[in-house]
Amino acid sequence: MTAVEEVPLSPAGNPIGFGNMKRVEDQRFVRGHGNYVDDVSLPGMVHGAILRSPFAHARINGIDTSRAEQLPGVLAVITGKVLEGIPRPDLLGDNFAWMPTLSYDTQAVLATDKVRFQGQEVAFVIATDRYIAKDALELIDVDYEPLEPVMDAKRAMEPGAPIIRDDKGQQDNSITDVHGHKDWESGNAIGTAEAIAAAQADPDCVVVTQEVMYPRVHPAPMETCGSVAFLDKVTGQLTLYTTSQAPHAHRTVYAMVAGLPEHKIRVISPDIGGGFGNKVGIYPGYVLSIVGSIVTGKPVKWMEDRNENLTSTSFARDYHMTGTIAATKEGKILAVDVDVLADHGAFNGVAQPTNYPAGFFHIFSGSYDYPNAHCKVTPVYTNKAPGGVAYACSFRITEAVYLIERLVDCLAAELGMDPAELRLKNLLRPEQFPYTSPTGWVYDSGQYENTMRLALEMADYDQLRREQAEKRARGEYMGIGLSFFTEGVGAGPRKDMDILGLGMADGIELRVHPTGKAVLRLSVQSQGQAHETTYAQIVAHELGIPPEDIEVVHGDTDQTPFGLGTYGSRSTPVSGAAAAVVSRKVKDKARQIAAAALECSPDDLEWQLGQWHVKGDPERAKTIQEIALLSHGSLELPDGVEGHLEATTVYNPPNLTYPYGCYVCVVDVDPGTGQVKVRRFIAVDDCGTRINPMVVEGQVHGGIADGIGMALMELIAFDEDGNCLGGSFMDYLLPTSMECPDYELGETVTPSPHHPIGAKGVGESATVGSPPAVVNAVIDAISPFGVRHADMPLTPANVWRAIQGRPVRVDMAVE
Amino acid sequence: MQVSMNINGEPITADIEARKLLVHFIREDAGLRGTHWGCDTSNCGTCTVWVDGEAVKSCTVLAAQADGHEVRTVEGLEGADGLDPVQQGFIECHGLQCGFCTPGMLMTARWFLDRNPSPTKDEIREAISGQICRCTGYKNIVDAIHWAAEHPRTNEVTA
Ligand code: FES
Ligand code: FES
């Protein structure tokens, strides 16, 4: 990290470029001066609340809102029938009762015919006060006729299973993507099948098949979802304050669903209290706050409670995976084949690029060198909440990494080989990059073995194995778990990737004012990622302007250029690249202006951080601040050079970036209670260039905590009647300070060759990489009991059951 | 009903429904939006304030119960000569990301340090174990509170 140490410091003591820098955002947050959506209060604002279905599957025979309407303080009660009466002449539907999802499916804004999951939106009350709005919900009488709920993806596929999407005329519960496909496949089916068959027939090879469930979990950001909508009837202007990770994309979708002209819509994402993918989708509540404002003429605030957040907004995972891995007895992996049953809930609301119905799951071939891989993913409807791509999953790379890392450990157990040794035998080698994977990804750069060896060294792996052997001899069960992950982030090249037809490029605008202070306007949106700090550092690195002199503006569609927002770890790979490119445009323009001022040719100038000077004569120089003033002044500019010092750009990434890492987890398991204690967690990440290492490490910490939570305690389960069993923080268990260890972090730096500053993005790396490390550690600990696999969450009860050889069922209630 | 209390040294009186939660009173009647709400079940701790110097979850107290009492919120942590060391510690040690849990963490941290001025890291972990942070994984929060313990306050902010 010598590069960081050489960075000059600004007058305020900040690095003029990359390095640790205290966050600009913190000044307001530690004083309680953040501005989150629920902090927004507009004159005359009223409050909305949603009545939700108690049933997972039921026909609605009637809704009587008369008692609710009579409650003093209630302004309006809106049902699906009311919405059906509001015509919406556009390509996406006929009326307001249904809206498009991000996957070209439809979702009910308010149920009309049936409810299809517990917690589904049935009616919307608008009242003068949030307590009265909730009171009114109790006074709405809904005549439900309960139907058999389909709570299990396998049951959904059975002939004779109740049809969930009869509204679309479906004859079964299969999901068809926009290209007309029911199953989605990637890789080489024939080659993989042949390689596995050959291995089965070969006494020098082994084939291991394992069913692996990645259960349904929820991102559960500390701030729930909500919005404040105001449609000004005089100007026709809609202003929407909302918990959105993608304000520009949302504005476009609102233009479509609300039939409002896009230039009259302003979406503002103020401070956001955590997103993790929960705030990518468009929820009925947001649309209802808009409808509520149309109906009442007043600003309408809608904020979820925690139960609503956990039961109705975007869940994550719910992937039933079966993997088969073939290898030689020496441990050379030959092929992997995967079959997935994907539970998408009642509406296909996954947020992912259109051409990738299973997200980036097909990166499951992982970090290893073998020629044959194939997957088939079959999505189905069930009577559960919609969603699926969320919780820092990098578009389902969490599921992919979990699968391959569990399979590799199962293979190690079958071979009787150390899992570290097995991984080292198969890791991709530096000279193989750029590497084309068997499912078509082009990994940009990597030095995998270095990273893994550093992790093993930090963990003192051999010593850990010795300690484990000694403890086992004494009847104590410690486990050591490894994972090695590769992500593909920064979606994405517009020729391949879009969401609802919107290409995934990001705009940016940089203006340097006459006094040399700058404003950078971003299309992406921070939910805690420190954009106001790190983007200023990118500009500082390129132009030499102190970061405290750069204001970063984001989260307001009226103030920023179009772009697709912050999720899938895409800010740094896409918008971060845009920040570097736009700074370079400004730098080039500054060169022309400096040349005019110094009366020389631009070719005679060379750049030294913060100034252009005549080659060989550093005294004849113009600083960027001087150039900014000149650009606004009366200096005669060369032909083709406009005044002022500013530029815009739209960055279309040529490829994804591929951050990677190696994690080691050490656990102690009490075989009597099944209790797991995470003793150590070592994480070595390679995310290329680190703009602000402090911020990178903070994101890794948070992701490891997520992984510990998912591996050990988090679960959205249902009982057979369709009741959600994870609807509060009493039941949906999140890790606290007591479950998380003091993480030990390391780094290697392999820049991305195609990113302007070599950065790869890191926001989701640890959430992707940590669950398999924790699970592998627990299974390693209890392997003396003959356990080769047990599904998450590895709660004490589930670990104890696994030790006892009893089945563990995680997708439904454990009886 | 009418309730009166003193929040961060300022008296406030309002007519409210008896069922109103203290967190909503602080946010809506007193207009102090630094105190956040995050769950239905008293699990997350982002609503933590002090009533008569004791840390409480303000979603679990009725405003009426605070009638006649002294309340302090995150907005009342900063003293005349600058940030409280717990606030500074969170900045120094990167103890926050989205900032949503931060006000509750800060109020618990100061309350705890006033009672245990030189805690171990394990004691700090236990002190914040009733509070959830989804962003930081807690390590830097623990370090931030430890930093604050090593930088005692110069000005008194109590009750
Ligand atoms: S709001 Fe969660 S504990 Fe008070
Ligand atoms: S900083 Fe986001 S929840 Fe703690």
Side-chain angles (χ1 to χ4, degrees):
Chain A
M1 294 309 295
T2 46
V4 165
E5 286 154 21
E6 287 164 7
V7 171
L9 295 182
S10 73
N14 293 317
I16 305 181
F18 304 151
N20 288 336
M21 174 177 156
K22 305 275 177 288
R23 300 190 338 153
V24 174
E25 296 84 343
D26 292 355
Q27 292 294 333
R28 64 177 183 275
F29 291 143
V30 299
R31 290 175 168 87
H33 293 172
N35 184 35
Y36 302 88
V37 170
D38 200 20
D39 300 340
V40 173
S41 185
L42 302 180
M45 187 175 78
V46 294
H47 297 265
I50 295 174
L51 180 71
R52 293 177 181 276
S53 169
F55 296 103
H57 199 189
R59 192 161 304 289
I60 296 177
N61 289 328
I63 303 177
D64 181 354
T65 59
S66 53
R67 289 198 301 144
E69 280 157 11
Q70 281 153 22
L71 186 72
V74 170
L75 303 177
V77 182
I78 296 167
T79 62
K81 282 271 173 283
V82 174
L83 296 183
E84 273 180 333
I86 308 178
R88 200 191 61 205
D90 61 50
L91 9 157
L92 293 160
D94 314 321
N95 61 61
F96 272 100
W98 292 82
M99 64 176 188
T101 70
L102 297 181
S103 286
Y104 289 96
D105 195 4
T106 49
Q107 174 170 0
V109 176
L110 288 173
T112 49
D113 51 340
K114 287 203 308 191
V115 287
R116 293 176 169 83
F117 68 93
Q118 187 184 58
Q120 188 180 335
E121 298 78 5
V122 174
F124 188 62
V125 168
I126 302 151
T128 51
D129 168 295
R130 69 171 97 206
Y131 285 56
I132 296 173
K134 290 257 176 182
D135 287 345
L137 300 183
E138 313 261 318
L139 302 175
I140 299 173
D141 300 302
V142 186
D143 179 6
Y144 290 108
E145 178 187 329
L147 302 169
E148 181 191 331
V150 182
M151 304 315 297
D152 178 352
K154 292 183 181 126
R155 167 74 180 131
M157 295 291 280
E158 287 171 5
I163 309 291
I164 297 163
R165 296 303 301 275
D166 44 349
D167 59 292
K168 301 206 299 179
Q170 293 245 153
Q171 301 299 313
D172 58 24
N173 293 316
S174 65
I175 295 178
T176 308
D177 72 31
V178 70
H179 302 298
H181 301 133
K182 293 198 168 180
D183 295 329
W184 188 78
E185 291 192 61
S186 182
N188 175 357
I190 295 168
T192 304
E194 285 174 357
I196 289 172
Q200 262 155 346
D202 186 340
D204 292 328
C205 291
V206 295
V207 176
V208 177
T209 295
Q210 181 64 54
E211 269 190 56
V212 173
M213 170 74 185
Y214 206 134
R216 180 174 278 237
V217 289
H218 196 282
M222 282 306 301
E223 178 203 33
T224 57
C225 300
S227 52
V228 180
F230 180 50
L231 184 90
D232 184 323
K233 288 203 170 141
V234 178
T235 62
Q237 175 91 24
L238 170 70
T239 306
L240 185 74
Y241 296 84
T242 184
T243 49
S244 170
Q245 296 178 225
H248 288 279
H250 280 193
R251 182 186 57 189
T252 304
V253 176
Y254 289 123
M256 293 170 170
V257 301
L260 294 167
E262 193 169 0
H263 66 295
K264 292 283 190 188
I265 303 176
R266 178 180 185 187
V267 176
I268 301 171
S269 285
D271 289 322
I272 301 294
F276 318 112
N278 189 228
K279 295 164 180 172
V280 176
I282 291 191
Y283 299 120
Y286 302 156
V287 177
L288 289 167
S289 67
I290 297 171
V291 173
S293 185
I294 295 173
V295 169
T296 62
K298 295 174 187 296
V300 175
K301 177 185 279 185
W302 165 74
M303 282 306 300
E304 286 174 339
D305 62 29
R306 180 57 63 186
N307 177 258
E308 295 178 280
N309 178 253
L310 288 169
T311 58
S312 74
T313 60
S314 185
F315 76 93
R317 333 284 193 249
D318 221 343
Y319 252 36
H320 301 245
M321 304 179 278
T322 305
T324 299
I325 185 166
T328 68
K329 285 203 168 145
E330 277 80 50
K332 186 83 197 70
I333 300 172
L334 301 169
V336 174
D337 198 10
V338 184
D339 206 52
V340 179
L341 186 57
D343 186 334
H344 283 220
F347 307 102
N348 186 20
V350 288
Q352 65 202 357
T354 305
N355 292 334
Y356 300 82
F360 298 166
F361 177 76
H362 53 306
I363 201 167
F364 70 86
S365 68
S367 316
Y368 310 110
D369 178 22
Y370 57 94
N372 287 299
H374 167 254
C375 70
K376 177 165 81 84
V377 180
T378 306
V380 295
Y381 290 116
T382 60
N383 286 119
K384 301 185 193 171
V389 169
Y391 207 165
C393 74
S394 292
F395 298 120
R396 299 220 192 261
I397 295 176
T398 31
E399 289 94 321
V401 166
Y402 180 65
L403 176 82
I404 184 69
E405 291 306 294
R406 277 273 59 234
L407 284 181
V408 167
D409 260 36
C410 290
L411 176 64
E414 179 75 22
L415 294 169
M417 188 179 283
D418 184 280
E421 185 192 340
L422 178 58
R423 284 180 173 82
L424 284 167
K425 262 191 187 163
N426 288 283
L427 283 180
L428 293 166
R429 298 179 310 281
E431 66 273 16
Q432 289 178 280
F433 291 88
Y435 166 79
T436 303
S437 84
T439 52
W441 301 98
V442 182
Y443 297 5
D444 57 353
S445 62
Q447 308 204 44
Y448 289 3
E449 185 176 336
N450 282 354
T451 304
M452 178 144 180
R453 292 213 182 270
L454 176 59
L456 296 176
E457 191 187 307
M458 284 173 61
D460 200 350
Y461 186 75
D462 294 336
Q463 174 56 28
L464 285 173
R465 286 289 174 204
R466 281 192 291 276
E467 181 192 347
Q468 181 183 41
E470 285 161 23
K471 287 204 157 143
R472 273 193 190 157
R474 297 201 297 268
E476 291 171 31
Y477 296 89
M478 74 175 263
I480 306 146
L482 291 170
S483 75
F484 198 106
F485 66 90
T486 302
E487 288 192 277
V489 303
R494 52 185 292 164
K495 68 180 177 3
D496 303 322
M497 294 181 194
D498 70 273
I499 291 183
L500 280 184
L502 302 173
M504 301 186 79
D506 277 82
I508 204 159
E509 177 195 298
L510 175 62
R511 288 187 190 173
V512 187
H513 297 322
T515 57
K517 317 287 180 191
V519 175
L520 182 72
R521 299 173 185 277
L522 315 177
S523 59
V524 293
Q525 152 67 32
S526 171
Q527 310 112 41
Q529 293 91 338
H531 288 164
E532 292 162 40
T533 308
T534 56
Y535 277 76
Q537 290 185 266
I538 297 173
V539 176
H541 172 81
E542 296 292 334
L543 291 179
I545 299 175
E548 63 269 20
D549 289 351
I550 301 158
E551 185 75 12
V552 176
V553 178
H554 62 113
D556 180 343
T557 56
D558 269 11
Q559 293 201 50
T560 58
F562 188 89
L564 276 216
T566 297
Y567 45 84
S569 298
R570 65 186 299 283
S571 280
T572 297
V574 186
S575 180
V581 170
V582 81
S583 300
R584 289 173 194 180
K585 282 191 177 179
V586 164
K587 188 161 78 182
D588 285 346
K589 183 168 179 183
R591 181 182 204 160
Q592 313 260 356
I593 296 165
L598 293 166
E599 296 177 341
C600 64
S601 155
D603 294 340
D604 295 336
L605 296 177
E606 69 184 350
W607 176 255
Q608 187 190 344
L609 189 64
Q611 64 174 39
W612 283 109
H613 65 74
V614 175
K615 281 178 190 160
D617 187 1
E619 297 300 305
R620 283 184 66 204
K622 290 289 173 198
T623 66
I624 192 78
Q625 289 82 2
E626 289 166 341
I627 297 166
L629 189 56
L630 287 166
S631 75
H632 290 83
S634 56
L635 174 73
E636 193 74 34
L637 295 175
D639 281 351
V641 178
E642 294 179 335
H644 304 181
L645 194 55
E646 57 193 48
T648 64
T649 202
V650 176
Y651 186 77
N652 174 34
N655 185 12
L656 302 183
T657 56
Y658 293 79
Y660 61 91
C662 182
Y663 293 174
V664 184
C665 178
V666 184
V667 301
D668 296 299
V669 177
D670 179 336
T673 62
Q675 178 78 36
V676 175
K677 174 88 191 151
V678 179
R679 193 205 308 171
R680 291 179 66 195
F681 200 104
I682 297 96
V684 180
D685 277 275
D686 192 322
C687 55
T689 305
R690 295 182 172 210
I691 298 160
N692 184 330
M694 177 192 86
V695 167
V696 169
E697 289 174 11
Q699 297 202 1
V700 173
H701 291 169
I704 298 171
D706 290 347
I708 290 170
M710 283 179 261
L712 301 182
M713 57 188 78
E714 295 179 36
L715 176 67
I716 299 287
F718 296 84
D719 70 14
E720 282 170 6
D721 296 328
N723 295 306
C724 178
L725 304 177
S728 80
F729 284 164
M730 314 270 276
D731 307 297
Y732 190 75
L733 302 181
L734 294 168
T736 72
S737 51
M738 303 303 282
E739 285 80 39
C740 296
D742 231 354
Y743 320 108
E744 302 161 57
L745 266 46
E747 67 175 12
T748 56
V749 177
T750 310
S752 169
H754 64 77
H755 188 283
I757 55 170
K760 290 187 168 187
V762 75
E764 299 167 318
S765 288
T767 315
V768 164
S770 59
V774 180
V775 172
N776 286 345
V778 176
I779 303 296
D780 182 54
I782 62 176
S783 60
F785 297 99
V787 180
R788 179 173 287 180
H789 177 74
D791 283 329
M792 299 183 282
L794 295 170
T795 59
N798 277 347
V799 172
W800 187 83
R801 279 161 185 269
I803 291 172
Q804 304 298 317
R806 294 171 57 168
V808 176
R809 187 91 199 270
V810 296
D811 53 331
M812 308 271 282
V814 177
E815 77 282 1
Chain B
M1 64 181 293
Q2 195 180 64
V3 296
S4 299
M5 64 187 81
N6 188 303
I7 306 184
N8 302 331
E10 300 277 331
I12 172 167
T13 298
D15 256 324
I16 59 162
E17 282 192 80
R19 61 178 171 167
K20 188 162 211 165
L21 299 176
L22 180 58
V23 64
H24 289 144
F25 184 87
I26 292 169
R27 289 178 53 79
E28 289 162 14
D29 296 271
L32 296 168
R33 305 296 170 106
T35 302
H36 297 151
W37 170 93
C39 71
D40 313 327
T41 47
S42 302
N43 287 98
C44 76
T46 188
C47 61
T48 302
V49 301
W50 304 343
V51 175
D52 296 340
E54 290 298 322
V56 299
K57 291 179 172 176
S58 63
C59 70
T60 313
V61 177
L62 295 170
Q65 290 174 285
D67 185 32
H69 293 270
E70 303 271 332
V71 174
R72 189 159 291 273
T73 70
V74 66
E75 290 92 342
L77 266 188
E78 188 174 4
D81 45 359
L83 292 177
D84 185 284
V86 294
Q87 293 172 302
Q88 194 60 41
F90 272 65
I91 296 172
E92 296 294 328
C93 301
H94 188 27
L96 68 156
Q97 290 178 36
C98 78
F100 202 78
C101 70
T102 310
M105 291 285 183
L106 292 172
M107 295 312 286
T108 297
R110 172 43 62 207
W111 176 87
F112 168 69
L113 290 179
D114 283 349
R115 283 149 187 82
N116 186 348
S118 4
T120 64
K121 291 206 172 174
D122 281 345
E123 287 170 333
I124 296 172
R125 282 186 180 273
E126 185 145 355
I128 59 166
S129 63
Q131 285 170 272
I132 296 171
C133 174
R134 295 293 287 143
C135 300
T136 66
Y138 305 103
K139 175 179 160 58
N140 288 354
I141 294 180
V142 174
D143 290 350
I145 298 172
H146 198 258
W147 187 98
E150 291 177 340
H151 294 80
R153 237 172 348 161
T154 49
N155 57 315
E156 278 297 299
V157 190
T158 36

